[in-house]
Amino acid sequence: MRKLVQQLLLTFLIVFPASVLAAENTQKPFVIASFSIIADMAKQVAGGAIEIHTLVPASADVHTYEPTPADAKKIANARLILTNGLGFEQWLPKLVKSSGGMAWVVPVTKGVKPVISNGKSIDPHAWQDVSNAIIYATNIRDALLIADPLNEATYRKNAQHYIEQLTELNDWVKNTIAQVPEAKRRAITSHDALGYFARAYGITLIPAQLSTEGEVSAKTMASLIDQLRNQSVRAVFLENLTNPRLMEQLARDGNATIGGTLYSDSLSETSGKAPTYISMIKHNVNTIIAALAK
Ligand code: ZN
């Protein structure tokens, strides 16, 4: 009997990482999401079974985020940290290390086929292709199943329902974009965040800036203005997190109008136009369609 107990204990320790067991006596598992889009997906999968905290607030830029001492404290108490990975949260490994906590860090892009942007670096914005969001939801479900096996039935049921909604959404995006003639499907966006979206749904989106920090050269600016004036590009879109001034100047000099604001790297506040991942994709597609179909 004692041997059996020992064996069971050993199996348990192998299956469940030490970090998962560390916070076992808290009521609801405390889970951290690096940014708002992953936090929403985790809420959809977990329902009310976890307590979730988002590190980068909806109004801040994940690329250039500077963690606070309060973030380190939160991380120290977390059981699980859900991150995008693909180099998106460059500031996170150092933060996790300095927090002294034992949280289990799970990149939810595991299994996503990465897009190489600008011929060299991996593009982290994989969530903009809804078929990747299904991979995110599956990875979130699998992480929760290990971190909190007591709520298995809840996670499985919610994940299945959410994945059904995402599958429907993906079909809707494909069908809606396909209604715009191919020659009209060209626009300029603020930074290089919609590469996965463009590739998945057959649309050309030219980023004015390659990153949220980058400067735009005079040569690039002239070429973008040219494309707008000769109508080979139909519209200019703002992004919720980047400074609109550059895009407004582009639209002015290229005799084009601003097609609206797209949500790329963050959701809106609860009362805004894109408080969830699904509403964000719908808002972006409707905004793009309205501008390009003119
Ligand atoms: Zn970005």
Side-chain angles (χ1 to χ4, degrees), residues 52-64:
I52 186 135
H53 173 75
T54 314
L55 280 182
V56 183
S59 52
D61 182 353
V62 184
H63 296 284
T64 57

Side-chain angles (χ1 to χ4, degrees), residues 187-194 205-209 237 239 247 262:
I188 295 173
T189 56
S190 301
H191 89 291
D192 199 5
L194 292 158
L205 296 170
I206 305 155
Q209 280 165 290
F237 293 102
E239 265 176 47
M247 304 306 274
L262 305 178

Side-chain angles (χ1 to χ4, degrees), residues 63 88 125 191 193 212 265:
H63 296 284
F88 191 46
H125 307 86
H191 89 291
T212 49
D265 291 13

Side-chain angles (χ1 to χ4, degrees), residues 32-185:
I32 286 182
S34 59
F35 74 119
S36 55
I37 292 170
I38 292 180
D40 169 58
M41 292 176 172
K43 278 180 208 161
Q44 306 297 333
V45 174
I50 57 170
E51 191 192 329
I52 186 135
H53 173 75
T54 314
L55 280 182
V56 183
S59 52
D61 182 353
V62 184
H63 296 284
T64 57
Y65 185 64
E66 286 178 22
T68 65
D71 291 335
K73 265 192 201 156
K74 292 263 186 213
I75 282 192
N77 295 321
R79 191 184 295 193
L80 173 66
I81 304 175
L82 299 168
T83 73
N84 185 73
L86 303 181
F88 191 46
E89 306 97 339
Q90 304 244 358
W91 39 268
L92 191 72
K94 203 173 141 201
L95 177 66
V96 172
K97 210 173 160 199
S98 71
S99 75
M102 291 192 295
W104 181 33
V105 181
V106 176
V108 299
T109 47
K110 190 177 164 246
V112 162
K113 234 186 242 150
V115 163
I116 305 298
S117 114
N118 196 25
K120 40 182 198 251
S121 52
I122 289 179
D123 181 349
H125 307 86
W127 61 86
Q128 292 291 352
D129 173 348
V130 182
S131 69
N132 286 338
I134 294 172
I135 297 177
Y136 280 48
T138 308
N139 286 329
I140 291 169
R141 178 200 65 196
D142 292 348
L144 289 172
L145 288 178
I146 292 174
D148 182 30
L150 287 178
N151 283 310
E152 176 179 349
T154 306
Y155 301 140
R156 285 198 189 280
K157 193 178 116 226
N158 290 346
Q160 195 193 344
H161 176 64
Y162 189 44
I163 288 168
E164 278 165 16
Q165 285 181 301
L166 292 173
T167 307
E168 248 172 59
L169 178 69
N170 195 33
D171 291 342
W172 175 80
V173 179
K174 276 187 205 156
N175 294 336
T176 310
I177 302 272
Q179 285 166 19
V180 179
E182 220 174 319
K184 283 187 169 188
R185 285 186 230 148

